[in-house]
Amino acid sequence: MGAVLIDIDGVLTVSWKPLPGAVAAMERLRAAGLPLALVTNNTSRTRAVIARRLADAGFPVDADDILTAPAVTAGYLREHHPGARCLLINSGDVRADLEGVTLVEEGADEAPDVIVFGGAGGAFDYPALNTAFRHLQRGARLVAMHRNLYWRTAEGLDLDTGAFLLGLERAARVEAQVTGKPAEAFFATALHHLGATAAETLMVGDDIASDVLAAQRAGITGVLVKTGKYLPETHRAADGTPDHVIDSFADLPDLLGLADPAPPGNRPG
């Protein structure tokens, strides 16, 4: 395998705490020299902040290794809606990753051209959703960074954007343009970032639909981990079969046939 794409939440960490064996597994991938990118629908933190949190937890990564849904969304908006006035509804501050996007506040003199949904949380209250609904009825476009239904936290599963997006699409009779996973364009951007082809790349995720099967439709080998948001019933009900299923990210180096690191006493030097 020539390159690896890795989801973060539920694969490497839960509530930013490393899952057992995840740091050591990442170190083995680094030691093998495999090109890798951390691809995430996380919409609450910038690439720089995510990199710092992961590095503080022991993962050998930096901001250049991370590709987020907000960063990809910014590219989409610059290309398809240049100069558009965008109203962002998102829990968390990711403005630093929305370079080149004109963001407006609700109540601005001119109505927004595009409603941009990020990650769910306190910002997804009735006034915000109803405001989005009214702008969509007026003709604004709808762009969503993802349509995940839920994610795993230390307290359990929490509702995410997709749970609200489905109702808004139906009420406003529109369909959102999704820019993060599972959009094929997201995976194409990740492959371009690594300079790798789909045939030589592997995607590791805990979401069978958005991570694994979506990657497989893009020609990438899919690996499902039984951590994070993984649920046996979701696995059974899926409309496809992962190429590989492993218990956790800690098992990935063995799946790839990577050599075990040398014991301390046998290391050169």
Side-chain angles (χ1 to χ4, degrees), residues 65-239:
D65 297 317
I66 298 169
L67 186 65
T68 65
V72 173
T73 300
Y76 174 84
L77 292 170
R78 289 193 300 266
E79 178 179 354
H80 295 278
H81 300 285
R85 297 179 301 276
C86 300
L87 176 62
L88 175 65
I89 300 176
N90 180 63
S91 294
D93 186 3
V94 293
R95 291 170 183 257
D97 280 352
L98 295 174
E99 184 179 357
V101 176
T102 301
L103 297 176
V104 299
E105 301 295 333
E106 179 50 37
D109 291 340
E110 294 185 82
D113 304 302
V114 182
I115 305 298
V116 182
F117 267 22
F124 276 61
D125 57 13
Y126 180 82
L129 293 171
N130 197 49
T131 294
F133 174 57
R134 289 179 174 174
H135 286 309
L136 293 172
Q137 290 181 89
R138 184 191 52 79
R141 305 298 293 271
L142 179 59
V143 173
M145 296 185 187
H146 63 79
R147 57 167 70 250
N148 294 351
L149 295 172
Y150 49 81
W151 83 95
R152 173 74 66 180
T153 72
E155 289 75 36
L157 296 177
D158 282 359
L159 283 177
D160 208 344
T161 302
F164 303 93
L165 188 61
L166 288 168
L168 185 61
E169 286 177 315
R170 183 171 178 180
R173 298 179 182 178
V174 300
E175 183 175 352
Q177 173 64 52
V178 178
T179 51
K181 296 177 293 180
E184 187 171 347
F186 183 94
F187 292 103
T189 299
L191 292 174
H192 178 75
H193 177 76
L194 288 178
T197 66
E200 65 182 351
T201 302
L202 178 149
M203 170 72 206
V204 187
D206 63 329
D207 187 317
I208 190 169
S210 294
D211 292 337
V212 180
L213 298 183
Q216 290 177 193
R217 286 193 293 272
I220 299 168
T221 299
V223 180
L224 178 65
V225 295
K226 294 182 177 182
T227 55
K229 67 171 65 172
Y230 174 86
L231 295 171
E233 55 267 33
T234 305
H235 187 177
R236 290 192 296 268
D239 60 1

Side-chain angles (χ1 to χ4, degrees), residues 6-17:
I6 307 162
D7 185 31
I8 298 174
D9 296 327
V11 175
L12 300 179
T13 65
V14 168
S15 295
W16 298 104
K17 293 184 179 180

